[in-house]
């Protein structure tokens, strides 16, 4: 869709980020999307949606890094 110049919906962006963070979407697919975005660009709304979704998924990554570094030893509960 993006490769052909289309706009991604809010739901498609959320699906992409959540799928990538969970490991359901492989690196090569996200790389292909990144290349399409580089060449075709993104609308302000797409940039907003992508940024918002990335920030909201960040607690998972921060938690995993801190846990891996053994800087925290607590159980986080994330409501979805």
């Amino acid at each position: 869709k993006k490769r052909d110049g289309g706009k991604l919906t809010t739901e498609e962006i959320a699906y992409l980020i959540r799928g990538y963070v969970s490991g359901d979407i492989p690196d090569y697919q996200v790389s292909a999307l990144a290349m399409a975005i580089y060449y075709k660009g993104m609308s302000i709304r797409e940039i907003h949606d992508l940024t918002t979704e990335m920030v909201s998924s960040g607690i998972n990554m921060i938690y995993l890094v801190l846990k891996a570094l053994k800087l925290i030893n607590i159980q986080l509960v994330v409501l979805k």
Side-chain angles (χ1 to χ4, degrees):
K1 185 175 188 175
K2 183 49 79 177
R3 180 195 68 204
D4 298 328
K7 292 184 179 179
L8 299 172
T9 66
T10 300
E11 293 77 20
E12 289 169 330
I13 292 170
Y15 176 82
L16 170 77
I17 298 302
R18 291 173 190 168
Y20 184 68
V21 169
S22 71
D24 293 335
I25 296 179
D27 292 343
Y28 71 88
Q29 287 185 333
V30 175
S31 297
L33 177 64
M35 185 173 67
I37 290 169
Y38 177 79
Y39 286 109
K40 299 296 183 176
M42 296 180 85
S43 70
I44 296 298
R45 192 226 5 111
E46 286 176 307
I47 293 168
H48 173 269
D49 292 344
L50 180 63
T51 304
T52 300
E53 197 61 43
M54 289 174 74
V55 167
S56 71
S57 72
I59 191 166
N60 298 324
M61 298 303 289
I62 291 168
Y63 172 72
L64 293 175
V65 169
L66 293 176
K67 186 171 181 178
L69 295 173
K70 298 182 183 195
L71 296 176
I72 59 172
N73 190 19
I74 59 171
Q75 185 81 20
L76 291 181
V77 177
V78 178
L79 300 176
K80 293 186 180 192

